[in-house]
Amino acid sequence: VMQRVSAQMRKWAFAMAVGMVAIFALTWILLGPILHVPYAFVLALLAGLLEIVPTLGPVLAAIPPTLLALTVDPAKALWVVAGFVIIQQAEGNLVLPLIFGRGVSLLPVSVVFAVVVMGWLLGFVGIFLAVPVVAVVKILLDEFYPSRMGSEQDVTEQVEQIVSGQKEEEPEEE
């Protein structure tokens, strides 16, 4: 069990790193080539690093580029804020649930649900710990609570039959 938990935590750390790189890239594209904000690379790097801090990190990452764009052109500052909102919405509702879902073998909806519930129960700490806790709980359930549905192959076959509309062959009555 501990080996599986350890492997899952490595996958979580890798998924977090991928998410940080994705935010860095999206932010750099927004601030550099699109809006031409000075120091775009450094600001994008900051946004990527602050991605590790759930909820508050993206807000903190948006402040320096907004202030910098405000010194250049107030309209550009509005575009920076709008761009950060779009990036964070896409990231929070699409990119990270998919990355974490694949990285730690959780459904994206369970990742979103876990973050919401853990955030509600434990606040900021809960948001940060949601995905690792759910991943560990999933492993513990897999190990200590045997599935009543049968093997994974049986479940897959049942799902394929349901989707294809085929019924199991029933013995003919005589």
Side-chain angles (χ1 to χ4, degrees):
V1 173
M2 291 305 294
Q3 288 176 339
R4 285 187 65 195
V5 169
S6 176
Q8 199 73 328
M9 291 303 100
R10 282 191 303 275
K11 290 177 183 178
W12 173 80
F14 179 74
M16 180 59 81
V18 169
M20 292 169 72
V21 169
I23 291 303
F24 161 76
L26 291 172
T27 305
W28 181 80
I29 290 169
L30 171 72
L31 297 178
I34 295 175
L35 295 177
H36 305 289
V37 174
Y39 307 109
F41 183 82
V42 174
L43 295 170
L45 188 61
L46 178 66
L49 292 173
L50 285 174
E51 185 59 29
I52 199 160
V53 181
T55 309
L56 189 58
V59 173
L60 294 174
I63 293 171
T66 303
L67 293 175
L68 193 58
L70 192 59
T71 63
V72 176
D73 180 17
K76 190 177 281 193
L78 290 175
W79 284 110
V80 168
V81 170
F84 265 86
V85 167
I86 291 168
I87 288 172
Q88 292 311 313
Q89 288 301 312
E91 174 253 350
N93 296 311
L94 182 65
V95 175
L96 281 186
L98 288 173
I99 290 172
F100 280 122
R102 291 193 181 169
V104 293
S105 303
L106 295 171
L107 295 173
V109 70
S110 65
V111 172
V112 171
F113 181 75
V115 169
V116 169
V117 170
M118 294 286 288
W120 180 68
L121 291 174
L122 301 174
F124 179 71
V125 174
I127 292 170
F128 186 70
L129 295 176
V131 175
V133 166
V134 170
V136 169
V137 167
K138 180 181 182 253
I139 290 171
L140 293 175
L141 287 174
D142 286 347
E143 289 291 328
F144 298 114
Y145 186 73
S147 173
R148 294 182 182 192
M149 296 182 74
S151 71
E152 187 175 328
Q153 183 179 4
D154 294 340
V155 173
T156 304
E157 290 172 3
Q158 291 172 3
V159 169
E160 287 175 1
Q161 287 176 352
I162 292 169
V163 171
S164 67
Q166 298 174 354
K167 295 183 179 178
E168 289 185 43
E169 294 180 16
E170 298 175 8
E172 294 181 23
E173 294 181 24
E174 293 178 22

